[in-house]
Amino acid sequence: MNEELTGRLRTAAEAHQPDRARILARVERGMSGAPDRHRESSGARPWPRVALASLAAAGILAGGGFAVAAIVHSPPARPDISATPAAPTAPSASPSAPWTPHATPSAPTTGGPAAPDRSSSTSPSPEPSGGTGSARPGNAHVQDGPLWSAGSLDAGSNPYWAQSDITLRTTQPLTALTLELRITQTGGVQSTGSWRTLPADDFTVTVQHEGGAVVYRWILKPGRTVPAGQHVFAGQYNHAAGKRETEHDGYRVDATGPRGALSVWGGFTPAR
């Protein structure tokens, strides 16, 4: 039965007030209306009839009470749950984390940081006499007979601009000279000029970008001579903001003197 019918029956049962006296009277009238075949001599009604009437009335009242109680206290119908519930499904295993490759760490370096690679690609051997080499950093060879050299970063350099100086000293005049200055491109390196203490008309000067570097070259013109003494060649350039690192910069000088070909090369010391 649905909830609406249950509610109505409950309301009717609660409102019902049985009239016991009226019920007993009806029972008695029904009993008295039956044919009196065995009349007792006494004027009182036989006790069996009275007892039966009383029992009938009590049965009616009890039956009505039980019916009301059953309606009032009957719980609402529940859905059919006779079927055995299915066993809960076991939760699936949690997804594994995405696979990430793990690089094998390199063995720790002992004894301090490793020295920079100074292989033959950055440390050229001396050129044969009379040959012209390239300015590269490496093991310096700053003197060859009467010719001596040194490289340094000028004290006037700043975080945005620098000047690299090459100082030459010769005790004998030179009839041929090629000087090459190589400034490694470390970011923003751009030439802003060059100069030397010898006459400008005695040299052909070029500035080029070669192999990741800005390269300055001074070549002595034919028929000109570099006198004995000390001379300076300088290259000027802008660079990325910060202190200029000179460890990859270098120079090389190839010359000819009274005793033949001479060659010197080296790097640059930081500005003091």
Side-chain angles (χ1 to χ4, degrees):
M1 84 181 45
N2 56 31
E3 294 183 0
E4 182 179 359
L5 179 59
T6 301
R8 289 182 180 181
L9 292 175
R10 184 180 291 108
T11 302
E14 291 176 352
H16 178 69
Q17 298 291 333
D19 190 345
R20 297 185 179 183
R22 187 175 180 180
I23 292 172
L24 291 175
R26 280 188 174 185
V27 172
E28 288 183 357
R29 282 197 300 271
M31 296 292 292
S32 63
D36 190 7
R37 297 179 180 179
H38 304 283
R39 196 170 187 86
E40 299 293 337
S41 59
S42 172
R45 294 178 178 178
W47 67 267
R49 294 183 178 180
V50 175
L52 289 173
S54 299
L55 290 174
I60 293 172
L61 291 176
F66 288 151
V68 171
I71 293 174
V72 173
H73 296 289
S74 176
R78 295 183 180 181
D80 184 10
I81 56 173
S82 59
T84 303
T89 304
S92 59
S94 58
S96 58
W99 178 81
T100 303
H102 299 280
T104 303
S106 57
T109 304
T110 58
D117 184 10
R118 301 286 189 181
S119 61
S120 58
S121 61
T122 58
S123 302
S125 300
E127 292 290 328
S129 298
T132 301
S134 298
R136 296 183 184 276
N139 297 326
H141 178 68
V142 299
Q143 186 169 1
D144 185 3
L147 183 63
W148 176 90
S149 65
S152 63
L153 193 64
D154 192 85
S157 302
N158 60 55
Y160 306 96
W161 177 90
Q163 176 177 301
S164 295
D165 298 335
I166 303 149
T167 302
L168 294 181
R169 188 182 305 129
T170 178
T171 59
Q172 297 176 358
L174 304 173
T175 56
L177 176 70
T178 298
L179 189 151
E180 183 180 286
L181 165 63
R182 180 178 292 267
I183 304 300
T184 302
Q185 180 62 261
T186 55
V189 176
Q190 186 68 39
S191 174
T192 59
S194 64
W195 58 268
R196 84 277 88 221
T197 56
L198 293 167
D201 292 341
D202 289 353
F203 291 87
T204 299
V205 182
T206 62
V207 181
Q208 298 175 320
H209 293 266
E210 299 177 2
V214 176
V215 180
Y216 300 77
R217 286 190 182 91
W218 293 266
I219 301 175
L220 185 66
K221 294 178 179 179
R224 308 299 173 90
T225 302
V226 175
Q230 181 169 298
H231 314 288
V232 177
F233 295 78
Q236 300 170 330
Y237 49 92
N238 292 327
H239 60 79
K243 183 180 178 181
R244 173 65 189 168
E245 298 294 338
T246 62
E247 60 179 349
H248 298 299
D249 300 342
Y251 71 88
R252 183 180 180 100
V253 179
D254 293 285
T256 301
R259 297 189 301 175
L262 306 168
S263 295
V264 292
W265 62 86
F268 293 86
T269 59
R272 295 181 180 179

